[in-house]
Amino acid sequence: MAITRRELIATMVKAGVPAAVTVSVGAEALHAENIPVPNAAVGLLYDASICIGCKACVAACAEANATPPDTRGDGLHQAPSDLNDLTRNIIKLYKPEDGSASSFAKRQCMHCLDPACAAGCPFEALHKDPESGIVSWTAEECIGCRYCTITCPYHVPRFQWQGFNPRVTKCELCSHRLAQGLRPGCTSVCPTGAVIFGPRTALLLEAKRRIKNNPGRYYQERVYGETDNGGTQALYLSRVPFEKLGLPELGPESVPARTLRWQRRFYQYFALPALFYAGLVQVIRKRLKGHEQEAHEREKQTGLRAQL
Ligand code: SF4
Ligand code: SF4
Ligand code: SF4
């Protein structure tokens, strides 16, 4: 049975194998691993151009996930400034000082096709469902290393900082509601249809329909997440550059694939000095052997022996 890159790295980390060796073998394993694309991938389509910033989706998300209202800002209103340990979904405002086009921006987990959070987690506490593609977190597997908060290119997973066994908070596409035949909380209240839920293929078709029917409306006439970062299951349309919404231009290669490509390159270069070192060791061993033989011959000639 073929072992996956994740299985291999996790096993080696658990066994206490040094990080450099682990990464080296992980890079080799990636070469052979085909990243599966979920066959029933579901997701969100957020069209920033029709979002009115009402934040009904923020409240609905908190209610759907039974998280207490985050009133830590002014102690009165539920107005978190960013994703945090109580907030899986946030609406932000991009408003440039030069008076050019502004935009609201919804931020939640992107449910990447090749999630860096899951690839980096040594204990598979974050994992991608092979059917729906939803990326979830399992408390029992998590050791609280917070590595996922560093590897995610969208800065999505947030940790509680208090408590002995802190929780990771991130959007899990309301999978508990989907299991009951309900839509995700955020998509069930949006008054303008700025955020909708569905199969990823249907959402892509809808996004392209909107682009076609509204020439000149959307930035670069493209859907963020169709190919970005290897593809994501949260898709975006925008009037303003995606980076202004907090979505970095990552290119079509996923972050885990790119990171491990560099690791492969590093070890290719590392292989040359290693070969040189191996050759050097051989030369030294031959010389030592020669010296030993010479000494042995000399001892025979002088009659010198080790004292017994
Ligand atoms: S956006 Fe971040 S947390 Fe969400 S799946 Fe991608 S890497 Fe993981
Ligand atoms: S899908 Fe659910 S958890 Fe994710 S942002 Fe929407 S309401 Fe929140
Ligand atoms: S509910 Fe819809 S319109 Fe209101 S802030 Fe959320 S995405 Fe925007």
Side-chain angles (χ1 to χ4, degrees):
M1 192 178 71
I3 189 166
T4 66
R5 162 186 44 143
R6 192 169 298 123
E7 284 166 348
L8 191 63
I9 294 175
T11 308
M12 295 182 80
V13 168
K14 282 175 195 166
V17 175
V21 179
T22 306
V23 169
S24 164
V25 179
E28 283 302 311
L30 177 81
H31 225 24
E33 184 184 357
N34 285 323
I35 295 160
V37 177
N39 52 24
V42 287
L44 302 173
L45 169 62
Y46 172 68
D47 184 343
S49 76
I50 55 174
C51 175
I52 55 171
C54 67
K55 296 188 180 177
C57 56
V58 178
C61 177
E63 193 181 335
N65 291 286
T67 43
D70 183 7
T71 55
R72 289 173 292 192
D74 61 4
L76 189 63
H77 300 97
Q78 184 176 342
S81 59
D82 205 347
L83 298 173
N84 62 41
D85 59 330
L86 296 177
T87 309
R88 298 165 191 238
N89 175 44
I90 189 85
I91 295 288
K92 291 185 164 187
L93 172 64
Y94 164 68
K95 194 170 172 51
E97 286 183 353
D98 64 6
S100 55
S102 60
S103 176
F104 290 105
K106 183 179 186 297
R107 300 299 318 283
Q108 79 294 301
C109 176
M110 302 292 284
H111 297 279
C112 307
L113 291 181
D114 186 13
C117 59
C121 178
F123 293 91
E124 296 189 44
L126 279 149
H127 47 89
K128 188 167 181 69
D129 184 87
E131 291 295 314
S132 67
I134 295 173
V135 179
S136 323
W137 173 76
T138 311
E140 297 73 43
E141 308 289 337
C142 180
I143 58 161
C145 67
R146 294 178 169 82
Y147 196 49
C148 54
T149 64
I150 300 165
T151 54
C152 171
Y154 300 105
H155 310 296
V156 166
R158 302 296 163 111
F159 254 97
Q160 285 175 337
W161 287 97
Q162 68 274 39
F164 177 67
N165 189 17
R167 286 189 64 84
V168 168
T169 302
K170 73 169 215 60
C171 159
E172 299 192 354
L173 218 51
C174 284
S175 50
H176 60 295
R177 285 174 62 91
L178 300 184
Q180 296 166 18
L182 300 169
R183 283 182 291 155
C186 57
T187 65
S188 63
V189 295
C190 181
T192 64
V195 60
I196 57 174
F197 167 79
R200 184 174 184 268
T201 43
L203 295 176
L204 261 177
L205 284 174
E206 171 60 14
K208 289 182 178 177
R209 188 191 67 76
R210 291 186 194 185
I211 290 171
K212 191 175 170 212
N213 292 348
N214 299 281
R217 181 183 182 96
Y218 294 109
Y219 176 67
Q220 291 182 337
E221 310 228 310
R222 77 178 177 97
V223 188
Y224 187 98
E226 181 177 15
T227 57
D228 307 77
N229 186 29
T232 59
Q233 290 178 217
L235 304 168
Y236 280 71
L237 289 172
S238 172
R239 283 180 197 263
V240 303
F242 294 110
E243 276 176 313
K244 308 295 184 193
L245 305 187
L247 302 171
E249 292 293 351
L250 297 167
E253 194 173 23
S254 73
V255 166
R258 193 173 338 138
T259 308
L260 289 167
R261 179 163 55 81
W262 277 105
Q263 284 170 359
R264 275 201 298 275
R265 210 168 273 178
F266 171 77
Y267 282 101
Q268 273 165 7
Y269 288 120
F270 185 69
L272 205 59
L275 279 172
F276 175 74
Y277 177 73
L280 200 63
V281 168
Q282 284 303 317
V283 170
I284 292 169
R285 284 174 72 179
K286 272 187 189 160
R287 291 229 170 129
L288 280 175
K289 210 170 165 188
H291 285 313
E292 272 174 20
Q293 263 175 355
E294 270 176 33
H296 191 61
E297 290 301 320
R298 266 201 308 275
E299 280 176 6
K300 264 175 43 180
Q301 284 165 10
T302 58
L304 187 67
R305 292 281 183 277
Q307 194 180 352
L308 296 173

